[in-house]
Amino acid sequence: MATEFVQSIDLTGKTVFVAGGTSGINLGIAEDFARAGARVAVMSRRQEKVDAAVERLTELGAEAMGGSADVRDYAATEAVLRDAHDRFGDFDVMVSGAAGNFPAAALGLSANGFKSVVDIDLLGTFNVLRASYPFLRKPGASVINISAPQSVLPTVTQAHVCAAKAGVDMLTKVLALEWGPAGVRVNGVIPGPIDGTEGMARLAPTEEDRALVTNSVPLRRYGTPRDVANVCRFLASPLADYVSGVVLATDGGWALGGASATMGVIGQPLLDAVGSEA
Ligand code: NAP
Ligand code: COA
C-alpha cells in the first residue's frame, strides 16, 4: 500500500504551483512536492486556508507562498500566478485541481448549479492553464490536471461534474498537442475515492456508502492523497519526460466501472426525490 513517503524523486530547486492546493488531495500533492525539495505556491478562494497551507508547507521545510483567487476570475488568478512567478521564477510544475462537487439529480439542478461546477472545474482549469503559460519553464514544464472518474464514466447525480471533467480531459489532450512543441507536457490524473476528503464526504457520507465504495474498488480500499501525489511526482519527473497527453487513473481500478455503479446505488434517493417530471 502506498502510504510511506518514498524519496526516490528529488525535486530540489524545482518550482511547483498548485491551484486549489489548500486542502484535501491537492494539499497532499503540495505537501509531497515540498517533502521532495520543491518550492511550492498554492492558491484558493479563502485566505485563511491559503495561510494554513503555506504554514504547513513551511513546516515541511519548503520555501512556500500563496494567494487567494477564485479560478473563475481570470484577472485575479493571473495576479496570484504572477506574484508566484515574481518570487519563485518559472514554474517547473503546474497542478490544476480546484473543483466543486455536490450530488444532485439533473432535475434537481438549476442552470446556475450546473454552471457553477462547469465554471470552477472546466473554465477554471482553462483560466489557470492559460494564465500560467507565460510563466511555465519552456522547455521542461509539466502541467498536471486533476480530473475524476466522472470524466470517463457517466454517473447519476453527477451530470455537472461529468460534463466538466470530460471537458478537462479534452483540454489536457488539446493543450498537449498545442504546447508540446514548446517542450511543455500536459497530462491528467484521475483520483479514485480518496479517504478523508471533502469530495468523498459529499458523495459517500455514511458508513454504509463507504462500504459500498470500498467493495466497488478492484483493489478494495480507498486511496490516500499520497497515492495521487506519487503519480503527480512521477509525471513531474524526468522519468516521464516522454509522457504527454495522457490521463492516468490512480484509483485502484475504480474507473473501470465501480465508480458509476456505486453512485447509481447511493444516488437513487436523489433521483427518486425529483421523479421524472420537473
Ligand atoms: P477539496 O478539499 O474541497 O479541494 C478543493 C480545493 O479547491 C480547495 O483547496 C478549495 O479551496 C479550492 N477551490 C474550490 N473552488 C475554488 C475556486 N472557485 N477557485 C479557487 N479554488 C477553489 O476537495 P478534494 O476532494 O480533495 O478534491 C480535490 C480534487 O480532486 C478535485 O479536482 C476533485 O475533482 C478531484 N477528485 C477528488 C476525489 C476524491 O475522492 N475526493 C476523487 C476524484 C477526483 P477554497 O475553498 O479555499 O477555494
Ligand atoms: N444540489 C443542487 N444545487 C446545489 C447544491 C446541491 N447540493 N449545492 C449548490 N447548489 C446550487 C445552488 O443552489 C446555486 O444555484 P441557484 O443560484 O440556482 O440556487 C448554485 O449551485 C451555486 O451555489 P453557490 O453556493 O452560490 O456556489 P459557490 O460558487 O459559492 O460554490 C459550490 C460552489 C456549490 C460547488 C460549493 O459547493 C463549493 O464551493 N465547493 C468547493 C468544495 C468542493 O466541492 N469540494 C469537493 C471537490 S470534488
Side-chain angles (χ1 to χ4, degrees):
M1 205 154 84
T3 51
E4 297 302 314
F5 175 67
V6 182
Q7 175 88 53
S8 57
I9 296 172
D10 183 15
L11 296 165
T12 303
K14 302 290 185 190
T15 292
V16 179
F17 191 104
V18 186
T22 63
S23 62
I25 296 171
N26 302 323
L27 177 59
I29 293 168
E31 288 176 354
D32 273 2
F33 274 102
R35 289 186 178 95
R39 296 181 208 95
V40 185
V42 293
M43 179 186 86
S44 80
R45 290 169 300 180
R46 282 179 274 172
Q47 188 64 47
E48 67 274 18
K49 284 181 71 174
V50 171
D51 293 342
V54 169
E55 193 180 327
R56 171 78 185 133
L57 295 167
T58 306
E59 277 167 14
L60 291 172
E63 210 183 330
M65 64 172 289
S68 64
D70 190 317
V71 292
R72 290 169 284 191
D73 179 340
Y74 188 89
T77 297
E78 186 180 41
V80 174
L81 290 163
R82 187 178 298 280
D83 280 351
H85 184 258
D86 286 349
R87 179 155 158 209
F88 287 167
D90 287 352
F91 305 152
D92 299 282
V93 184
M94 177 74 225
V95 179
S96 177
N101 190 3
F102 49 81
L107 293 180
L109 201 51
S110 67
N112 194 44
F114 187 87
K115 181 178 186 297
S116 67
V117 168
V118 170
D119 281 358
I120 299 170
D121 294 23
L122 179 53
L123 179 64
T125 301
F126 177 80
N127 287 347
V128 166
L129 267 51
R130 175 67 188 86
S132 67
Y133 186 78
F135 309 135
L136 299 177
R137 188 174 307 288
K138 294 184 274 300
S142 169
V143 175
I144 302 167
N145 291 324
I146 305 302
S147 183
Q150 292 91 324
S151 74
V152 290
L153 284 180
T155 306
V156 300
T157 74
Q158 294 285 277
H160 44 331
V161 178
C162 289
K165 292 288 194 179
V168 169
D169 287 1
M170 242 338 149
L171 204 49
T172 295
K173 293 172 191 179
V174 173
L175 296 188
L177 288 174
E178 293 193 7
W179 295 358
V184 174
R185 297 182 295 110
V186 186
N187 294 294
V189 174
I190 292 181
I194 304 302
D195 214 357
T197 59
E198 183 62 27
M200 287 316 294
R202 291 179 182 216
L203 293 181
T206 69
E207 280 307 313
E208 196 183 358
D209 297 338
R210 283 178 56 84
L212 282 172
V213 168
T214 302
N215 284 327
S216 69
V217 178
L219 289 181
R220 294 290 189 273
R221 68 169 175 92
Y222 270 63
T224 64
R226 175 149 298 145
D227 287 316
V228 183
N230 284 344
V231 170
C232 291
R233 286 203 294 141
F234 160 70
L235 287 173
S237 79
L239 295 175
D241 263 354
Y242 205 48
V243 180
S244 195
V246 306
V247 182
L248 187 48
T250 306
D251 67 343
W254 206 39
L256 295 173
S260 184
T262 313
M263 283 309 295
V265 177
I266 297 174
Q268 191 60 45
L270 284 171
L271 298 186
D272 292 342
V274 294
S276 57
E277 291 172 26

